[in-house]
Amino acid sequence: MKTAFIKTPLGTAKIEGDLHGITSISVIDRETEMKSNISPELEEAVRQIEEYFLGKRKEFTFKLNPTGTEFQKKVWDELLKIPFGKTISYLDLSKKLGDPKAIRAVAAANGKNPIWIVIPCHRVVGSKGEMVGYAGGIHRKKWLLNHERTEKQQSLFP
């Protein structure tokens, strides 16, 4: 397993993967040593994550290889269908998966998402649009949703 660390506006991103794909992207709060040589298996993921934070990328095309149960993978596959700049409620996500009563299980699977940003669990909100349930912290969820808004609010001040 190869590992790379990159700085983002939300902290240091830790990217892990191998020839079979990216297995994990997480954000860590502590400072870590950045290495200039990135393993070839991770180069594309690093490039695309950096482009996302620069506002130049809306979707990711590198190979994913998350580890989880079949149910978790089903939830994560559905998360990948949420368009950039859009949100969905946990209830609507449960309905899309065929069982509105599975909302707690869907929320738990969402919380176990191992590939930060790319599998966009930050795009899932409460039924009334409230910011709930984000493992990386609600402040990061708000930042990501604001970053993805298609219509940016213009500042009144230069």
Side-chain angles (χ1 to χ4, degrees), residues 38-57:
I38 295 171
S39 170
E41 296 91 342
L42 305 179
E43 284 177 346
E44 187 62 20
V46 166
R47 183 179 67 77
Q48 289 187 28
I49 294 290
E50 288 174 339
E51 289 174 352
Y52 169 85
F53 280 109
L54 291 171
K56 297 178 179 179
R57 176 168 292 275

Side-chain angles (χ1 to χ4, degrees), residues 72-89:
Q72 287 171 333
K73 289 179 181 181
K74 186 177 173 184
V75 172
W76 300 337
D77 285 343
E78 197 61 40
L79 291 173
L80 287 168
K81 297 175 187 174
I82 305 170
F84 182 91
K86 302 292 182 191
T87 59
I88 187 172
S89 71

Side-chain angles (χ1 to χ4, degrees), residues 16 22-27 65-77 79 90 93 103-122 124 132-136 141:
E16 298 178 295
I22 299 301
T23 57
S24 172
I25 300 176
S26 57
V27 64
N65 188 22
T67 301
T69 66
E70 289 305 311
F71 179 76
Q72 287 171 333
K73 289 179 181 181
K74 186 177 173 184
V75 172
W76 300 337
D77 285 343
L79 291 173
Y90 287 98
L93 181 58
I103 191 167
R104 289 180 192 259
V106 167
N110 197 48
K112 297 285 185 186
N113 171 19
I115 304 181
W116 181 57
I117 297 174
V118 179
I119 299 177
C121 59
H122 61 278
V124 184
V132 293
Y134 191 63
K141 182 173 188 161

